[in-house]
Amino acid sequence: MQDSLLIKLAVVILFLPLIGFIVTVFFGKSVKKVYVFENLVLIASFILASILLYGKLNYYIDTDLFSEFEWINLGEVPLLGLISIKLGLMLDNVAAIMIWTVMLISLVVHIFSIDYMKGDIRYNHYFAYLGLFTFSMSGIVLTHNILMMYIFWELVGLSSYLLIGFWFEKKSASDAAKKAFIVNRIGDIGMFIGILLLFITYQTFSFDSIFIQLADGKLPFNSEFWLTATGLLIFCGAIGKSAQFPLHVWLPDAMEGPTPVSALIHAATMVAAGVYLVVRVFGMLTGDALLIIAVFGALSALIPATIALTQNDIKKVLAYSTVSQLGYMIMALGVGAYTFAFFHLITHAFFKACLFLGSGSVIHNMHHEQDITRMGGLRKKMPLTYAAFLISSLAISGVPLTSGFLSKDGILAGTYAFASLTGHWLFPLVGFFVAMLTAFYMFRLIILTFHGEPYDKEKYEHAHESKFAMAMPLVVLSILSIFFWYTPNPIDPGEGWVLSKWIKTPEIFTPVETRYDFMKPDENAAVDHSSAVVYSSSYTEAMHNAHYPAMFLSLIVAGLGILLAFLFYQWKRIDPDKLANKFKPLYNLSYNKWYFDEIYDATFVAGTLMLSKFLGWFDLKVIDGIVDGSAAVTKGFSKFSGMFDNIVVDGLVNFIAILSGFVGLIFRKMQTGKVQTYIVMVIFGLVILLFLFKSF
Amino acid sequence: MENNYLIPYLLLAPFIGGVLVLFINKNKENLIRYFGLAVSLIVFIISLIIYFDFDNADGGFQFLYRFSWIENLNISFYVGVDGLSLLLVLLTTFLTPLTLLSSWSSIDKKVKEFTFFMLMLELGMLGVFVSLDMFLFYIFWEAMLIPMYFIIGIWGGKQRIYASIKFFIYTMFGSLLMLVAIIWLAVYASSSLGYFTTDLVELYKVGPTVPKTIQNYMFLAFAFSFAIKVPLFPLHTWLPDAHVEAPTAGSVILAGVLLKMGTYGLLRFCLPLFPQSSISFAPAISVLAVIGIIYGALVAMVQKDMKKLVAYSSVAHLGFVVLGIFAMNLEAVQGAVIQMINHGLSTGALFILVGVIYERTHTREISEYGGIAKIVPIYAFALLFASLSSVGLPGLNGFIGEFLILLGSFKSTVLNNIWFTVFAASGVIFAAVYLLWMYQRVAFGEVKNPMMNELKDMTKREMLVLLPIFVFIVWIGIYPSTFLKVSEKTVRNILEQVETPHKAELK
């Protein structure tokens, strides 16, 4: 009885924000205070999500709850049996933790926005869109099947589109909104085809039934290659939504949206949906697929981190850092460090939301100044924002006692263990290098913004700390970035409840021979495809061995990064400009974001446009030309036959008429009316006749 | 067999209404408008009665009515509906009152003639969908061109004469080939059945027995005529011209219903009458359909005229429908049927919206607009909603159709090639590109054109026109089963008719 209660609660949580959206959007014009309703709805959703999480973790920690209903019934199909498309919800620990995180961040962003967006002409609509987003995101989190996930996936894309383009008067904002939607769609097509492949193979969209059948050895087109391909196609969706290389270009542009939106959608929740997707389908990814995923993750961690080094827009730095951190998570999944990937997803959500809201607080109080080289010294004016920003930066840099240290260290240890088992040492190398870059650019950001002397005295004088509604979210989120929420032991996350109880190592359902070696069950273990323990003991051992080396290394690189940042910007021992001049090409590459936008513009965008223009011309001139041409030919032919008719046919008729007229003219002469003439003629004729007959 | 009079009533209502309009004083324009609207609503109610009496479990023709017409040739006035035609009848009767309402103020000259032609057009379209006699079908098919010709030619834009003649001759050209094939088939039937007949149900039995080569010619004759109507690439160029020149009501009906007559014809005639040929031509036609999807989208992208853009988007959408039809399995054909309805709704809505703004500004050039979301927020919302429905956003109708079609074509044994699906799916990206780009240029940005500052937002009447369409857009998107189950049994029957001779041949 009670489990059905819990899943019903999940249904309520899913639909509450939708109600908030509908009410707010329709009364947005007429009722000025309708945004209060949207905020109340979110508070209710958050409370319910908390109850849900509590209930799940206390009473059903090892049981997953389901509910489903039939959506489309195509009926009995020959050879295939009953085809019915079911939608439904699944509540496992991952979903429960995730929905709570989404609701919490959505709530604090709502509250933060009350002040931040004050005075906007579309104030109510802003909150309505936040409600739509929260609804769509909950759908992704709570669904038990991949089709419904795709549906909400696209809805999330829509709310993202609306919010990025919220200030649509600005061309850059509407451009960014469109770009986000289209780039996401490119990834989604791959995901969609992957979903079709799954459905054709398994006749279902539900993760669970797919896994069960996969464990029984059913593969797409009966081939392991196609299983890998299906996994990678679905991963395409994650590349788009989580802004992974090479589709990461939309996320920095998405910063055109209001800053709280960046915190909610483009840092903490929506962009994490891609990672969440990979978490969901993890059990069907083959070793080959995982390795490729890890490569994409590593590239996405590395490239944006190098770009973040030289950016001056506070939000752009954070955006590139988001891509980089998401790359970490994807790489972690690729190397099999599933639990740490999800753990990092949660910790990152809190500290990155805090960083974005902190930057929002700065931007708001600096009158929409976003250039960090034009800030400075704000520490004194905004101590609370500074403190929150500092804690979150320590977390993202992986400094001990923070949540980020726990999860990031886990990921680094995961890559280290993976490398020690498989020999792919590039992954830990990238991981540690990026950790250093992260610490560096985050502290560069902090020093330039909060330390030193103010750049613009006047703006500085007017700056002040944010009011309660904007300060409170910062406090909540920065407190959540401290270790004790997750584990009692600040250096070993493994001892914490999150990793030892809540997030379990996933089950793997792929055929044993397609897995990584360390994911194959131990020889002595009972061979049972659907058993829960799937990693071999060698992995546990490698993980154990990796723990301390990885931790020391990560401490060193983080410290090094922070130290360098201080040397460059605080103590000014090294002149960054000189260094930039020395390595001009490298600096330019980073500053210009590796020219991704330029390259895409010159190839795909320009190419499509050119092709379209050509086809537009082709359609008008060639295809329609043929139609008009054949009309012209017909017309010409008609004209010709008209002429023919006029001259030849009618001419003939006329000729005959003229001829007979002419003959008549001659013969008329004979018709004189004089009887004498006629008699002469008759006699004349008779003589001729007689003469003729005689000769026979 | 008992005659059922519902369908004759359905056809008589617009006919009598149209004739009665002629007796109203032409200066009483509002009376004419209300009368036309009332008639079309009565027709809609009759179609609803048919819908509620319709038995979904029976896939065959229902509400049959037969009246012997030309007895020597066994030609009769024979009508009835099955799940497929019922949905299209409903679409027609649903859209007609809305188009009349949308033309309330935009048509201000010759209101009487306009209302008359609209009702006659409705009669023609309904006739096409309910005819069960090929001769009767052909008459409606051709007759329906006449009111459309006048609607474009009289109330159209600058190039209306060119467009209307092009439309008329192009479609007529295709139909003549079909007429030849109809006669040939009926003659062939007289040798196998022993009597001449144009009864569709009887010809269903004869068609598959026609020798393959001849069947191919007849299939092509039919398919050519339908492909022009659809329109299938490369026979589509009459469409943009006709759309751009037609008044809003004409465009809505043209896109909403007329194009569906082509796809309806493919499903009703080509597939069951010539199953062997349909299967052998399926890959070739699907190639054209997929080209149409991508080509239409790319060409739409560079259009400067809003209406032309929407017109080319129709080429892409109908490409999906044709692909679904020739994938020949339940999912795909059901998807194609629902996509026919979807296209009627979303493209209809887009044309109405273009009409709404054109009425105010007298321009359809995209570059003239910009920033109107700020000035006319309700309009901007409606335009976004209709665009997203056309883009195929999940939760709205377009997604269901595309999803089922792609699912079906992916596993189709007739096409047996996943690249059709892969390329068609990429068309979905381009749909987002051209519609969102158009939307951005129209609604977003700063207001550049000072004329736009005085724009008035949608009136209650205009909202009333769009609201029912939007309700169905959401309804189909969230719960398509309501509509899918109407056509399911019929689609099964059609597919069975295609498969049976094919299987026999394989054995």
Side-chain angles (χ1 to χ4, degrees):
Chain A
M1 190 58 228
Q2 210 177 355
D3 55 326
S4 69
L5 205 67
L6 216 54
I7 198 90
K8 270 179 199 151
L9 190 61
V11 176
V12 174
I13 291 171
L14 174 62
F15 283 103
L16 260 182
L18 180 67
I19 296 168
F21 162 67
I22 292 172
V23 170
T24 317
V25 86
F26 280 106
F27 295 100
K29 266 239 139 79
S30 45
V31 186
K32 228 177 148 203
K33 291 257 175 208
V34 73
Y35 72 91
V36 177
F37 177 78
E38 167 66 26
N39 279 282
L40 289 175
V41 163
L42 243 288
I43 292 173
S45 307
F46 173 68
I47 293 171
L48 294 179
S50 306
I51 296 171
L52 187 79
L53 180 66
Y54 179 81
K56 178 72 177 78
L57 293 179
N58 278 285
Y59 301 106
Y60 296 98
I61 190 150
D62 291 323
T63 341
D64 297 341
L65 307 173
F66 294 92
S67 100
E68 64 177 16
F69 71 95
E70 192 170 71
W71 184 42
I72 300 175
N73 187 348
L74 285 170
E76 201 78 31
V77 175
L79 301 173
L80 293 174
L82 196 74
I83 288 201
S84 90
I85 297 171
K86 292 193 177 107
L87 298 187
L89 302 188
M90 168 170 76
L91 191 63
D92 58 359
N93 292 352
V94 166
I97 296 169
M98 188 74 187
I99 191 76
W100 184 79
T101 310
V102 168
M103 286 304 171
L104 173 74
I105 294 178
S106 182
L107 176 63
V108 297
V109 165
H110 271 78
I111 293 169
F112 187 91
S113 304
I114 293 175
D115 254 6
Y116 190 87
M117 297 299 287
K118 195 145 264 173
D120 197 282
I121 46 165
R122 290 181 287 272
Y123 192 66
N124 282 329
H125 283 98
Y126 171 82
F127 284 97
Y129 296 159
L130 285 186
L132 176 65
F133 167 76
T134 311
F135 163 67
S136 327
M137 189 67 205
S138 313
I140 291 183
V141 173
L142 292 171
T143 178
H144 89 320
N145 69 84
I146 195 158
L147 177 68
M148 186 168 152
M149 190 177 237
Y150 181 80
I151 292 173
F152 281 92
W153 194 263
E154 294 288 313
L155 287 179
V156 158
L158 169 68
S159 36
S160 166
Y161 172 81
L162 292 171
L163 284 165
I164 297 172
F166 188 72
W167 290 317
F168 56 73
E169 289 90 345
K170 271 200 298 185
K171 174 122 183 8
S172 53
S174 65
D175 274 343
K178 186 183 61 181
K179 183 173 177 182
F181 197 90
I182 291 167
V183 172
N184 266 295
R185 273 238 150 173
I186 295 172
D188 293 349
I189 294 304
M191 177 178 174
F192 186 76
I193 293 171
I195 293 174
L196 292 183
L197 270 168
L198 284 180
F199 187 73
I200 287 160
T201 315
Y202 302 108
Q203 312 300 337
T204 174
F205 292 107
S206 124
F207 294 119
D208 242 41
S209 332
I210 291 171
F211 290 159
I212 291 171
Q213 294 180 54
L214 181 61
D216 285 343
K218 201 167 177 187
L219 303 177
F221 301 130
N222 286 319
S223 110
E224 284 161 6
F225 168 77
W226 277 103
L227 181 64
T228 306
T230 309
L232 287 176
L233 280 167
I234 288 174
F235 176 63
C236 286
I239 294 182
K241 193 114 302 181
S242 283
Q244 296 293 287
F245 167 84
L247 296 182
H248 62 275
V249 287
W250 67 269
L251 187 61
D253 289 21
M255 297 300 129
E256 289 291 339
T259 306
V261 168
S262 311
L264 174 62
I265 300 184
H266 305 117
T269 54
M270 180 186 88
V271 289
V275 181
Y276 189 78
L277 171 67
V278 181
V279 164
R280 274 283 176 251
V281 299
F282 192 79
M284 54 159 282
L285 297 171
T286 61
D288 290 345
L290 283 173
L291 193 63
I292 293 170
I293 288 172
V295 170
F296 274 98
L299 286 173
S300 311
L302 179 63
I303 295 171
T306 62
I307 296 173
L309 297 177
T310 56
Q311 299 304 310
N312 290 331
D313 183 320
I314 186 167
K315 286 182 75 184
K316 287 261 158 86
V317 175
L318 292 177
Y320 280 106
S321 126
T322 304
V323 179
S324 173
Q325 296 297 311
L326 292 165
Y328 258 129
M329 298 171 210
I330 295 285
M331 177 167 73
L333 286 165
V335 300
Y338 169 97
T339 50
F340 289 108
F342 184 69
F343 187 32
H344 196 58
L345 172 58
I346 302 296
T347 58
H348 174 260
F350 295 135
F351 61 68
K352 189 49 74 59
C354 185
L355 284 171
F356 264 109
L357 292 183
S359 78
S361 171
V362 169
I363 293 166
H364 191 68
N365 292 312
M366 287 291 283
H367 301 280
H368 297 279
E369 179 61 76
Q370 296 193 193
D371 189 336
I372 46 176
T373 59
R374 294 167 167 273
M375 295 179 183
L378 287 176
R379 181 178 44 166
K380 295 183 200 103
K381 285 282 185 180
M382 310 171 73
L384 194 106
T385 305
Y386 173 65
F389 212 94
L390 186 64
I391 294 174
S392 319
S393 296
L394 289 171
I396 196 174
S397 309
V399 172
L401 302 183
T402 62
S403 61
F405 171 74
L406 300 171
S407 54
K408 200 173 185 177
D409 186 46
I411 289 177
L412 292 172
T415 56
Y416 193 99
F418 178 76
S420 68
L421 288 165
T422 60
H424 293 295
W425 283 100
L426 269 177
F427 292 119
L429 203 67
V430 167
F432 288 111
F433 182 59
V434 170
M436 188 183 77
L437 296 183
T438 310
F440 175 79
Y441 66 68
M442 283 317 298
F443 276 84
R444 169 178 179 263
L445 188 63
I446 285 200
I447 293 164
L448 288 178
T449 311
F450 293 100
H451 296 199
E453 292 302 310
Y455 176 89
D456 186 337
K457 281 274 184 233
E458 199 184 342
K459 271 189 179 167
Y460 176 79
E461 289 306 322
H462 286 95
H464 55 83
E465 186 55 87
S466 294
K467 287 192 216 114
F468 175 75
M470 276 167 70
M472 193 274 284
L474 294 175
V475 174
V476 172
L477 291 172
S478 52
I479 291 176
L480 281 168
S481 304
I482 298 171
F483 77 96
F484 51 73
W485 296 96
Y486 310 95
T487 168
N489 180 348
I491 61 158
D492 188 0
E495 283 181 22
W497 38 87
V498 175
L499 289 177
S500 63
K501 290 201 189 114
W502 295 357
I503 317 173
K504 301 274 164 50
T505 317
E507 297 175 55
I508 313 275
F509 304 93
T510 49
V512 173
E513 59 280 8
T514 65
R515 303 180 193 177
Y516 285 141
D517 282 333
F518 63 82
M519 285 189 186
K520 290 174 183 165
D522 286 331
E523 305 242 327
N524 50 357
V527 182
D528 178 7
H529 286 306
S530 52
S531 72
V533 183
V534 285
Y535 284 43
S536 71
S537 50
S538 62
Y539 185 76
T540 330
E541 204 178 311
M543 231 9 218
H544 185 77
N545 292 339
H547 183 62
Y548 285 104
M551 189 162 57
F552 284 122
L553 266 174
S554 77
L555 278 177
I556 290 168
V557 293
L560 201 64
I562 295 171
L563 183 71
L564 277 174
F566 271 87
L567 281 175
F568 270 98
Y569 300 100
Q570 180 82 22
W571 305 319
K572 303 208 159 73
R573 291 297 168 83
I574 311 169
D575 185 2
D577 294 333
K578 255 187 198 155
L579 202 69
N581 270 327
K582 213 167 176 183
F583 298 98
K584 197 78 186 167
L586 279 180
Y587 175 80
N588 280 344
L589 188 66
S590 161
Y591 188 75
N592 292 306
K593 303 142 192 170
W594 289 45
Y595 301 100
F596 274 104
D597 281 321
E598 286 78 2
I599 293 168
Y600 289 171
D601 277 346
T603 51
F604 300 117
V605 179
T608 312
L609 214 62
M610 248 164 66
L611 182 65
S612 299
K613 282 204 171 121
F614 166 73
L615 289 180
W617 172 87
F618 179 78
D619 200 64
L620 206 65
K621 299 290 171 190
V622 180
I623 298 192
D624 207 29
I626 291 172
V627 175
D628 282 344
S630 52
V633 167
T634 317
K635 223 166 138 186
F637 188 73
S638 308
K639 232 177 201 159
F640 173 74
S641 52
M643 263 156 68
F644 186 82
D645 201 56
N646 251 333
I647 297 168
V648 181
V649 180
D650 215 26
L652 207 68
V653 174
N654 285 340
F655 176 71
I656 289 169
I658 289 168
L659 192 71
S660 40
F662 182 68
V663 172
L665 213 65
I666 296 169
F667 282 99
R668 201 176 61 191
K669 292 270 160 53
M670 296 191 263
Q671 310 209 341
T672 51
K674 287 182 185 159
V675 183
Q676 300 95 310
T677 320
Y678 293 161
I679 290 171
V680 172
M681 280 199 157
V682 168
I683 291 167
F684 190 66
L686 271 174
V687 170
I688 291 172
L689 282 175
L690 278 173
F691 188 72
L692 280 174
F693 278 111
K694 215 171 167 186
S695 55
F696 285 109
Chain B
M1 185 176 52
E2 194 80 5
N3 269 339
N4 188 311
Y5 288 94
L6 268 175
I7 292 182
Y9 289 152
L10 184 76
L11 296 175
L12 275 175
F15 178 72
I16 295 174
V19 172
L20 285 179
V21 165
L22 295 177
F23 291 101
I24 305 176
N25 184 337
K26 69 171 183 196
N27 292 325
K28 292 184 175 165
E29 292 185 343
N30 263 334
L31 177 68
I32 295 171
R33 288 184 179 119
Y34 278 112
F35 183 79
L37 184 64
V39 171
S40 65
L41 283 174
I42 290 170
V43 181
F44 181 54
I45 290 168
I46 298 174
S47 70
L48 279 183
I49 295 172
I50 296 176
Y51 168 73
F52 285 114
D53 276 3
F54 185 79
D55 180 9
N56 287 337
D58 172 9
F61 294 106
Q62 302 176 31
F63 306 94
L64 295 171
Y65 174 87
R66 191 198 287 273
F67 166 79
S68 192
W69 187 15
I70 308 174
E71 280 179 41
N72 295 349
L73 296 173
N74 288 315
I75 292 172
S76 50
F77 182 88
Y78 185 27
V79 291
V81 289
D82 63 0
L84 172 64
S85 41
L86 177 60
L87 284 177
L88 291 165
V89 163
L90 287 166
L91 180 69
T92 311
T93 58
F94 172 75
L95 283 178
T96 306
L98 295 179
T99 50
L100 284 172
L101 200 57
S102 78
S103 326
W104 211 259
S105 60
S106 60
I107 300 291
D108 50 6
K109 53 167 195 179
K110 301 193 174 137
V111 178
K112 181 168 158 178
E113 288 83 348
F114 179 76
T115 312
F116 170 76
F117 282 129
M118 284 301 285
L119 290 173
M120 288 302 138
L121 187 61
E122 183 173 27
L123 167 69
M125 296 184 297
L126 290 173
V128 165
F129 293 134
V130 299
S131 296
L132 296 182
D133 186 285
M134 310 234 2
F135 187 75
L136 187 66
F137 167 81
Y138 186 78
I139 287 177
F140 278 121
W141 175 269
E142 291 290 347
M144 174 235 77
L145 290 178
I146 298 163
M148 199 56 178
Y149 172 79
F150 283 113
I151 287 171
I152 299 175
I154 297 178
W155 292 274
K158 283 199 190 79
Q159 297 269 342
R160 58 181 182 269
I161 305 294
Y162 168 75
S164 56
I165 291 178
K166 188 175 185 178
F167 160 74
F168 195 94
I169 294 181
Y170 210 140
T171 37
M172 185 98 171
F173 176 62
S175 330
L176 286 176
L177 288 174
M178 178 167 72
L179 181 63
V180 174
I182 290 176
I183 294 170
W184 198 98
L185 188 64
V187 171
Y188 183 86
S190 55
S191 65
S192 74
L193 292 172
Y195 51 90
F196 184 93
T197 181
T198 51
D199 183 327
L200 181 64
V201 183
E202 296 210 44
L203 289 179
Y204 273 160
K205 290 173 222 145
V206 178
T209 65
V210 177
K212 186 72 188 290
T213 20
I214 300 171
Q215 204 185 98
N216 283 348
Y217 287 123
M218 293 173 55
F219 170 86
L220 286 176
F222 271 84
F224 185 70
S225 152
F226 297 137
I228 289 174
K229 200 74 131 200
V230 167
L232 190 66
F233 174 87
L235 305 171
H236 61 274
T237 50
W238 63 269
L239 183 75
D241 285 319
H243 269 313
V244 169
E245 299 308 325
T248 301
S251 292
V252 174
I253 293 293
L254 196 59
V257 186
L258 251 68
L259 307 187
K260 309 305 151 9
M261 290 167 43
T263 46
Y264 169 79
L266 290 172
L267 267 176
R268 171 67 74 233
F269 301 103
C270 279
L271 260 60
L273 280 176
F274 317 114
Q276 293 96 330
S277 300
S278 299
I279 288 174
S280 41
F281 281 107
I285 291 183
S286 300
V287 167
L288 290 180
V290 172
I291 291 176
I293 291 172
I294 295 172
Y295 179 90
L298 285 172
V299 176
M301 210 182 291
V302 289
Q303 295 307 314
K304 299 190 173 88
D305 181 306
M306 282 162 91
K307 243 182 163 179
K308 233 175 182 163
L309 188 145
V310 182
Y312 276 105
S313 84
S314 292
V315 177
H317 281 110
L318 270 294
F320 269 106
V321 178
V322 174
L323 177 67
I325 290 173
F326 281 92
M328 296 191 207
N329 54 27
L330 188 65
E331 297 91 321
V333 178
Q334 279 281 65
V337 173
I338 208 86
Q339 189 70 349
M340 290 189 213
I341 310 292
N342 289 339
H343 178 260
L345 296 174
S346 40
T347 309
L350 280 172
F351 275 126
I352 290 173
L353 283 161
V354 174
V356 163
I357 198 95
Y358 179 75
E359 211 178 307
R360 289 161 171 71
T361 63
H362 297 284
T363 177
R364 287 185 305 257
E365 286 287 308
I366 296 172
S367 55
E368 293 281 321
Y369 293 91
I372 64 167
K374 204 171 181 174
I375 298 152
V376 284
I378 301 175
Y379 177 82
F381 169 77
L383 186 62
L384 182 65
F385 192 88
S387 301
L388 290 172
S389 147
S390 187
V391 165
L393 187 83
L396 302 180
N397 60 349
F399 174 69
I400 305 294
E402 284 172 9
F403 169 67
L404 289 173
I405 290 168
L406 291 174
L407 180 66
S409 67
F410 201 76
K411 52 186 261 198
S412 164
T413 49
V414 174
L415 299 179
N416 199 17
N417 190 336
I418 60 167
W419 290 104
F420 286 111
T421 313
V422 173
F423 279 111
S426 69
V428 174
I429 302 175
F430 296 122
V433 175
Y434 65 77
L435 279 165
L436 291 184
W437 193 26
M438 189 241 333
Y439 188 74
Q440 181 192 18
R441 286 177 290 166
V442 170
F444 288 166
E446 291 284 354
V447 183
K448 291 164 293 182
N449 189 341
M451 198 167 87
M452 298 302 156
N453 281 319
E454 275 126 57
L455 271 185
K456 298 245 164 11
D457 212 336
M458 304 234 288
T459 62
K460 291 228 166 62
R461 173 182 59 82
E462 286 162 341
M463 286 194 249
L464 187 67
V465 173
L466 284 168
L467 195 67
I469 300 184
F470 284 2
V471 167
F472 280 101
I473 284 177
V474 175
W475 187 342
I476 296 177
I478 291 175
Y479 198 69
S481 295
T482 321
F483 307 90
L484 286 172
K485 70 179 181 213
V486 175
S487 57
E488 184 198 325
K489 204 77 212 321
T490 305
V491 168
R492 270 172 199 286
N493 284 354
I494 293 172
L495 288 174
E496 210 165 287
Q497 273 168 295
V498 179
E499 273 160 15
T500 322
H502 183 57
K503 273 185 195 143
E505 207 170 71
L506 286 181
K507 274 172 195 166

